[in-house]
Amino acid sequence: MLADLRPGAVVIGDRAYDSNALLTLVADAGGQTCIPTPRYRKQQRVIDVELYRQRNLVERFFNKLKHFRRIATRYDKLASNFLAAVALAAIRLWTRNYESTT
């Protein structure tokens, strides 16, 4: 997935993806990383905190998608049908935020 990384792209990940091989791969492609360093590393990198917080929003969205049984178990055999189910579930999650509470 990182083989087609464009120059100037930002790769965001959690502490588990902090490896020298990944960091050099992204740097050689001309990209930037937003991966916090684990506490055991002697050199701590500075990351953009606001950008890293947006990663959490994406992770929570995928977690909410997994609550839909059809998506979690992938009943659909065709990728187009599965993508349509993901789109419908995403629309349902999105409209929940805009429902009237009165």
Side-chain angles (χ1 to χ4, degrees), residues 15 18-20 23-24 33 35-47:
R15 293 181 200 273
D18 179 61
S19 70
N20 291 334
L23 296 173
T24 55
T33 57
I35 302 173
T37 51
R39 295 184 185 8
Y40 63 82
R41 283 214 183 224
K42 289 183 181 180
Q43 277 189 328
Q44 295 287 317
R45 284 188 314 277
V46 179
I47 62 165

Side-chain angles (χ1 to χ4, degrees), residues 54-68:
Q54 290 178 4
R55 176 193 146 271
N56 186 11
L57 293 174
V58 173
E59 278 196 16
R60 281 192 271 157
F61 171 73
F62 279 109
N63 185 21
K64 288 177 185 177
L65 270 181
K66 290 178 187 177
H67 288 268
F68 291 90

Side-chain angles (χ1 to χ4, degrees), residues 61 65 68-72 74-93:
F61 171 73
L65 270 181
F68 291 90
R69 185 175 178 194
R70 181 180 189 129
I71 294 170
R74 189 156 183 180
Y75 285 138
D76 299 311
K77 293 184 182 197
L78 296 177
S80 59
N81 291 346
F82 180 71
L83 183 60
V86 169
L88 286 173
I91 290 169
R92 185 166 179 210
L93 288 172

